[in-house]
Structures are given as C-alpha cells and as structure tokens.
Amino acid sequence: MADSSVVSVSVPQQHTLLVALNRPNQRNAITPDMAREIARVLDWFDNEPSLWVVVLTGEGDTFCAGADLKSWHASQSSDVISEQQDIASSPHGFASISRRRTSSNPSSQPRRNHPKCDLVVASTDAVFALPEVKRGVVAAQGGIPRLARVAGHQLASEMLLLGNTITALEARDKYRFINIITSPAEVLPTALALARIITSNSPDAVESTKEGLLIAQRIGNVDEAVVSHALSAASGRVWNGQNVKKRTPKWSNPAKL
C-alpha cells in the first residue's frame, strides 16, 4: 500500500498498520479527497489478513481539526448532493471512520480529537472539542450518539451544546473517551505498545471480542446480545479455527469471515 499526498501508510511492527493524516499545515482537516483515500487504505486493511490492528495518528501538532470548511462550502454550493443525503448515504461516516463497521480489527488512536477508535492515547497538552454548533453545523456523523452513550446525556449535552474545548484530563476522567494520557513524545510509542499487546493475543479471539462489543452497542438486552454474539461468524471462527486454546501460542492469521 503506497502513501498518498494526504495519507501516509506504514507497517512499523508485525501485524500493525500505521495510518497518518498528512495535511499538517491545514491541521489535518479532512477534504472529500482525503476521506476517499482513508477509505481506500482501510478497505485494503480490512482485506489484508496479516494486519490485525490499525493505529491512526496525524502529522504535526494536531490530529485532526475536523472537516475542511473550504471544501465543505464548495461541495454545498455545487448542489450535487445535499448534506442530509451525504450523511444518510455515507457507509462509514466522517473521514470514512466515524461510523465504520466493516472491520472487526481493533484500532488505536494517538493524538487529539478522536473518531471511532477502540483505544485512545492522548498527550498531556491535548485538547478536544465538538464545536460544530459554533459554526452553524451539527456533529451528525456519529459523534452525538457515541458521546451520549459514553459520557451520558448531561455531559454529552455540555460538550455538544456549548461547543467548548476540554482538556485531556477532562476527556479521560469526566467524559471517559480517553484511555491513556502521556507526554507528547510518548503518545505514538504508547499506542504502538498497545498494538503489540493486542497482537500478542489470538487474533480470532480479539476480533470476536470486538464483535461482541459492537453487538452490545446495537442491542441493549444482555441475553439477546449474548445469543447474537454466540451465533456470529466471528464466534464460530474462534471455536473452530486454528488458534483455539493454544497453551504456547504461535498465532496464525485469522481466517476470512
């Protein structure tokens, strides 16, 4: 997988894909072309059996400033597709990440502001915001229900309706969408260390566990979620695959679902 001008791709360690947003002079703001390139990379990742975890980061001081407003205004004035239609028809949401559902592979995200990632590592000086209401738009690509689920209605309302920035400590301890806070120089190494721990585990068990987490988000009833997960293809692969119950494991790539 080759780099593009807006997205850098590498494999820094076994079974781990590192994807870096690469518009640092624009604070890695997402354009439509950039979103399509991210989709291309993640579609490739989903179909590459030797890659089990993706780490998402951004070049420069900012992970992502959100949508590139110049590109957004240009697309709105073209009248090719309305914003409502674009949100409803988008298979993966903002930047091809915020509602991405095709992969059961885990993802880790170092830096600032977070899309949809399983583990989030932030620097001590990181700030987070969903400031859409200050710009006359809405965090409509998954940010509202996800923050409400994680933080609860009142705290989600505080962040979404005020549109103010919050610190990394607030994001971790109050709003609960950060896992680890570390020094700026240690953010990416920490995320890669988490990826190494994940890839030391059975990929079949990890993917099935993530599938169970995703099912739990969709199904509120515990018994129904358990049954749905037990009967899933990912669960079947755990019990019937090569990686089950290895005492001295040497994991093989997961089979295709």
Side-chain angles (χ1 to χ4, degrees):
M1 170 62 64
D3 289 350
S4 74
S5 61
V6 292
V7 178
S8 300
V9 180
S10 63
V11 181
Q13 60 196 32
Q14 190 176 30
H15 304 310
T16 301
L17 180 69
L18 177 62
V19 178
L21 308 182
N22 193 23
R23 297 183 74 221
N25 293 336
Q26 293 78 33
R27 300 174 65 204
N28 294 319
I30 303 295
T31 64
D33 287 344
M34 195 173 182
R36 285 188 287 270
E37 183 60 24
I38 295 169
R40 184 180 72 88
V41 170
L42 295 181
D43 287 345
W44 174 78
F45 167 77
D46 284 344
N47 291 288
E48 178 49 61
S50 66
L51 293 173
W52 304 353
V53 178
V54 60
V55 175
L56 182 64
T57 187
E59 300 290 354
D61 295 332
T62 302
F63 167 67
C64 180
D68 186 293
L69 292 182
K70 290 183 180 179
S71 297
W72 182 80
H73 284 299
S75 65
Q76 290 300 295
S77 62
S78 67
D79 294 327
V80 174
I81 184 171
S82 73
E83 186 72 11
Q84 291 170 287
Q85 291 171 321
D86 184 47
I87 293 169
S89 63
S90 173
H92 300 308
F94 176 71
S96 192
I97 297 172
S98 66
R99 301 204 319 274
R100 192 167 188 88
R101 180 60 185 85
T102 57
S103 177
S104 56
N105 294 328
S107 56
S108 175
Q109 184 262 313
R111 292 291 185 185
R112 311 168 183 214
N113 209 342
H114 77 111
K116 177 186 179 181
C117 287
D118 302 294
L119 300 171
V120 181
V121 181
S123 64
T124 50
D125 61 350
V127 293
F128 300 82
L130 288 167
E132 282 79 357
V133 293
K134 294 182 179 293
R135 307 290 184 265
V137 292
V138 180
Q141 287 279 24
I144 295 172
R146 187 166 295 110
L147 185 60
R149 181 182 294 118
V150 171
H153 177 81
Q154 276 70 32
L155 289 174
S157 297
E158 181 180 326
M159 190 168 181
L160 288 159
L161 299 181
L162 301 182
N164 293 333
T165 60
I166 63 171
T167 66
L169 279 173
E170 289 175 310
R172 185 190 66 183
D173 299 340
K174 181 177 179 180
Y175 294 90
R176 300 182 300 173
F177 60 76
I178 295 296
N179 295 91
I180 298 173
I181 300 173
T182 188
S183 66
E186 290 300 314
V187 171
L188 184 55
T190 300
L192 292 173
L194 292 175
R196 284 193 296 274
I197 295 172
I198 292 172
T199 58
S200 71
N201 299 325
S202 161
D204 294 332
V206 167
E207 289 189 12
S208 179
T209 299
K210 178 170 177 180
E211 180 72 13
L213 288 168
L214 295 174
I215 290 171
Q217 290 181 12
R218 300 195 306 271
I219 300 176
N221 181 279
V222 172
D223 291 335
E224 291 179 10
V226 169
V227 171
S228 180
H229 182 215
L231 298 178
S232 68
S235 181
R237 187 172 66 194
V238 170
W239 305 116
N240 300 308
Q242 300 179 44
N243 292 322
V244 65
K245 297 181 181 178
K246 288 192 175 180
R247 295 184 181 275
T248 306
K250 184 178 180 181
W251 308 120
S252 60
N253 294 331
K256 293 295 183 184
L257 291 176

